[in-house]
Amino acid sequence: MIPTVIGSTLLIYLLVFLVPGDPVLALAGGNKRLSPSSIAAIRKQYNLDDPFFVQYGKYLDHVLHGNFGYDFNDNSVTTLIKTAFPYTLALALSAFVLKIVIGVLLGVWAGLRKDGMPEKFNLFFTVVFLAVPGFLVAYFSQYLIGIKGHLLPIAGVQAGYPKAFIMPALVLALETAAPLARLTRTSLVDVLKADYITTARAKGASPGRVIWLHALRNAFLPVVTYLGLSLASLLGGSVLIESIFNLPGLGGTLATAISQQQGPVVVGVSVFLLLFYLVTALVVDLLYPIIDPRVRHV
């Protein structure tokens, strides 16, 4: 995990470091003239005169102490993350619940009715939501549900939770439920072909007992692993959705920072999302032997 953290954060820092443009001019507001002393002070404050790897080393040391740096307005990036993260977490958790409900139910329905109408609907659903870009689904939802239907606000958080988060969470869930439905359906179909399912049926087990006790329990093992990792990926996927629905979360903060060339904020938010993803992946790996005891003997 440590090499992954170092390599990933180095890549993020390098990408931002290589962005064309002088950060001092960005701080000054375009072509605004600064005195040589002011330029020197700014460059010293942000370690801009140090070699790249020295800058990165100092930044990584600050991150390890919980300090993600300061933006060009001298605002703490850590404070920005603390302020924005609750909105992103609320959106991601809401989308996560909706994703499970939609993806798992649709996948189980299609897996139990193989070659029937449910599987055709599953295929149609997954193809549509895998092919159609998320921003088109978002704009269509805003027009249909918000503008025409007057059912939910089309943007902002003035309506509070959960009303302001239902539509963006639903859009994010639909976009990510398609692969979950496919995975659940495929895993269940494979399990239903296993020898122990045939044995359970031969011993006279009822169809309900075969499905609920034997098939679904084993079919959900890869699904649970996928769900654990997808929770963290939902945070990253919220960047576009938060921008479209004008939510003040990490995604909106990151999009604004990119447009304003606020490199420290871009690096800070990206590194925070990366660390959250890695910690979630580690927790899933630790929980997997509890879910499936057979893994302990592999």
Side-chain angles (χ1 to χ4, degrees), residues 59-182:
Y59 180 78
L60 192 60
D61 180 62
H62 291 157
V63 169
L64 293 177
H65 289 84
N67 179 9
F68 287 85
Y70 296 86
D71 67 7
F72 293 150
N73 298 318
D74 210 24
N75 297 315
S76 170
V77 177
T78 305
T79 302
L80 292 177
I81 292 174
K82 287 180 179 178
T83 303
F85 185 60
Y87 295 102
T88 300
L89 189 62
L91 173 62
L93 290 178
S94 302
F96 187 66
V97 173
L98 291 173
K99 172 183 177 176
I100 293 176
V101 172
I102 298 171
V104 171
L105 288 182
L106 189 56
V108 171
W109 188 38
L112 295 178
R113 297 289 187 273
K114 188 174 178 295
D115 299 326
M117 188 273 289
E119 183 166 25
K120 294 177 182 176
F121 180 79
N122 184 314
L123 180 61
F124 173 79
F125 173 83
T126 54
V127 169
V128 168
F129 284 101
L130 285 175
V132 177
F135 69 89
L136 285 182
V137 179
Y139 289 140
F140 181 76
S141 301
Q142 286 178 318
Y143 176 77
L144 191 64
I145 301 175
I147 297 176
K148 290 295 183 182
H150 301 287
L151 299 175
L152 294 169
I154 61 173
V157 293
Q158 290 77 12
Y161 186 87
K163 195 172 183 179
F165 289 81
I166 292 177
M167 189 156 48
L170 180 61
V171 173
L172 191 58
L174 287 173
E175 187 180 359
T176 56
L180 177 61
R182 294 289 294 175

Side-chain angles (χ1 to χ4, degrees), residues 21-75:
D22 189 337
V24 178
L25 287 180
L27 172 62
N31 297 321
K32 183 179 178 181
R33 292 182 177 275
L34 289 176
S35 65
S37 59
S38 298
I39 293 176
I42 293 170
R43 299 193 73 85
K44 181 179 180 181
Q45 179 182 356
Y46 293 99
N47 304 310
L48 296 176
D49 290 327
D50 293 332
F52 169 74
F53 285 103
V54 175
Q55 291 183 42
Y56 169 73
K58 291 181 178 179
Y59 180 78
L60 192 60
D61 180 62
H62 291 157
V63 169
L64 293 177
H65 289 84
N67 179 9
F68 287 85
Y70 296 86
D71 67 7
F72 293 150
N73 298 318
D74 210 24
N75 297 315

Side-chain angles (χ1 to χ4, degrees), residues 217-242:
R217 180 181 177 184
N218 292 284
F220 281 160
L221 290 176
V223 176
V224 169
T225 305
Y226 172 79
L227 284 175
L229 297 176
S230 70
L231 174 60
S233 66
L234 282 174
L235 293 177
S238 66
V239 173
L240 177 63
I241 299 301
E242 287 184 4

Side-chain angles (χ1 to χ4, degrees), residues 246-267:
N246 195 27
L247 300 180
L250 288 177
T253 302
L254 183 60
T256 303
I258 292 173
S259 65
Q260 296 178 351
Q261 294 184 320
Q262 289 278 5
V265 180
V266 176
V267 175

